[in-house]
Amino acid sequence: MSIARDLDGYQTPIPVVDLDRMESNLDRMAAYTRDHRLHLRPHVKTHKSLRVAAAQVVRGAAGLTCATPRELEVMSGASASLLLGYPPVGAGRLARLLAVPEPVELRVSLDSAQAIDGLAAAASAAGRPVAVLVEVDLGMRRVGVATAEELVLLARRATDATGLSFEGIAFYPGHIRSGGPESDDAIRRVSNALAGMLDALAGAGLAARTVSGGSTPTAWRSHEIAGVTEIRPGTYVYNDRATVACGVAQRDDCALTVLATVVSTAVPGQAVVDAGTKSLGREPRGGDEQFGFGELWDRPEVVVRAMSEEHGILDLSRTAWRPVIGEVVRIIPNHVCIVTHLFDGVIGIRGNEVVEAWQVAARGR
Ligand SMILES: Cc1ncc(COP(=O)(O)O)c(C=O)c1O
């Protein structure tokens, strides 16, 4: 692919990654996990690209976490150890999991006897060992068993199943939306609940080699949760308005912005850009109507107030800036993982110069 060096050479809307910021985000998380002797298994849903996965692996990631078969297929080109952090339910999903090229080590987190039985049958038929992490619910209320009794039953079932081995526990503390002292109690509750689960396993003679947790908001406090051996943050690679609002990133840590063009100023008090829900996603911040759906990189006071599919309405009520038609802006999205998933490709810049372009190869199903 030939690369225009100037951002003006690109048709908008298009995501732009500031490589210096991205690398500093990657370095910081790699250093944290090294310092605390934790394995890092980043979730690839945020970037869905081999380019960024390779940058994570080269910094010491022990493996990668995927949610979809497409992510597994693509990421088999980046890491020798993949975790499917999603219930392996359905013949199509199982077939694609087991068709991931060898010698990639396969791990799966799950929370039901049905999922274990289906996975065991598929793994045996394929002659491919799969390691199981039993998902426990430590407060998120999404997936995961709630009691130590259920955990022990599933761990034993995985241990006894032909084709499977029991590797440990997975949990996702996505209910904790900040990394500061206001989360102290919630972190303590997760830690206590996990300790109970681990005691029950040990009492049943079942050892968890891996205890996998850690979202981006809780990543930096993972060492406070006794027993955790690996973390799976995803959003940290790019960050977004949500991680800044959580207090776990600075605005300058936001590595991905959406380049957009002002296409209309006809309605007073606003300007319209060519990035709507099909570029930014529609991720409101609960309880804050003024938050909007994105903000301008160089003018934080200007937010995307409303959107149609291809129209983003910039609110000009708090700025003296009056954009002209054709002016190009950069927007920090609310939730960056959704943005990645909406585009085929990304361009990478250093300073203001475009130096790279890569595909979002693992998007789609
Ligand atoms: C199972 C699982 N692990 C890890 C992550 C990564 O968390 P974050 O988005 O906070 O980086 C997610 C995010 O959705 C997830 O669902």
Side-chain angles (χ1 to χ4, degrees):
M1 188 195 284
S2 76
I3 297 175
R5 296 188 134 208
D6 201 324
L7 280 176
D8 292 347
Y10 291 85
Q11 193 181 323
T12 61
I14 187 168
V16 177
V17 169
D18 184 310
L19 294 167
D20 293 334
R21 288 171 201 271
M22 179 187 87
E23 286 162 7
S24 124
N25 293 338
L26 292 172
D27 288 342
R28 199 151 26 102
M29 190 63 81
Y32 169 80
T33 49
R34 252 195 324 272
D35 287 352
H36 293 282
R37 297 178 192 282
L38 292 163
H39 291 300
L40 178 58
R41 186 180 286 272
H43 204 306
V44 303
K45 63 169 185 134
T46 307
H47 57 75
K48 289 181 181 266
S49 79
L50 281 171
R51 162 67 176 84
V52 183
Q56 292 172 318
V57 170
V58 91
R59 285 169 175 77
L64 298 169
T65 305
C66 301
T68 68
R70 181 84 189 127
E71 289 174 358
L72 287 169
E73 287 158 1
V74 170
M75 293 307 154
S76 66
S79 172
S81 176
L82 298 179
L83 166 66
L84 176 63
Y86 195 88
V89 174
R93 187 177 273 120
L94 284 168
R96 287 174 71 184
L97 167 71
L98 285 151
V100 167
E102 296 198 65
V104 171
E105 178 214 20
L106 295 176
R107 298 176 171 214
V108 173
S109 60
L110 48 71
D111 66 358
S112 69
Q114 291 90 327
I116 290 179
D117 296 349
L119 183 61
S124 303
R128 179 99 185 255
V130 180
V132 168
L133 288 96
V134 176
E135 182 93 29
V136 296
D137 177 15
L138 302 185
M140 169 78 173
R141 305 282 180 267
R142 182 174 71 176
V143 292
V145 297
T147 66
E149 292 71 31
E150 292 169 282
L151 164 63
V152 168
L153 280 178
L154 292 184
R156 188 160 285 134
R157 199 176 185 103
T159 304
D160 294 344
T162 312
L164 305 184
S165 58
F166 172 64
E167 175 65 28
I169 299 182
F171 67 97
Y172 176 57
H175 58 296
I176 304 178
R177 300 308 302 164
S178 117
E182 58 285 356
S183 292
D184 286 359
D185 285 348
I187 297 270
R188 210 171 302 120
R189 276 196 295 277
V190 164
S191 195
N192 291 341
L194 182 61
M197 296 282 188
L198 290 172
D199 281 351
L201 271 184
L206 294 158
R209 277 190 298 271
T210 298
V211 178
S212 177
S215 60
T216 292
T218 61
W220 310 103
R221 303 192 61 176
S222 301
H223 60 285
E224 297 175 42
I225 305 174
V228 167
T229 65
E230 97 176 1
I231 60 172
R232 309 183 310 271
T235 312
Y236 80 98
V237 56
Y238 291 151
N239 287 306
D240 52 24
R241 288 181 91 210
T243 56
V244 173
C246 280
V248 293
Q250 304 295 313
R251 204 168 178 278
D252 280 356
D253 300 325
C254 291
L256 186 148
T257 52
V258 176
L259 196 72
T261 303
V262 175
V263 294
S264 171
T265 55
V267 177
Q270 66 182 43
V272 180
V273 291
D274 58 357
T277 55
K278 286 184 173 168
S279 301
L280 296 173
R282 181 182 289 284
E283 293 263 330
R285 183 168 170 81
D288 186 354
E289 301 242 316
Q290 306 303 312
F291 194 73
F293 301 98
E295 73 188 47
L296 293 196
W297 168 245
D298 54 352
R299 299 177 195 278
E301 71 281 11
V302 179
V303 303
V304 180
R305 175 173 54 76
M307 291 180 294
S308 310
E309 290 175 45
E310 303 292 359
H311 301 73
I313 315 293
L314 300 183
D315 180 355
L316 301 183
S317 65
R318 281 175 287 171
T319 178
W321 173 64
R322 290 295 169 262
V324 295
I325 305 267
E327 194 165 341
V328 171
V329 297
R330 285 171 62 188
I331 301 170
I332 305 176
N334 283 7
H335 186 180
V336 72
C337 312
I338 306 295
V339 173
T340 308
H341 151 90
L342 293 170
F343 287 91
D344 294 325
V346 169
I347 53 176
I349 57 172
R350 295 220 188 255
N352 282 325
E353 190 178 331
V354 180
V355 292
E356 270 186 69
W358 65 85
Q359 266 194 309
V360 184
R363 71 182 291 235
R365 295 285 156 185

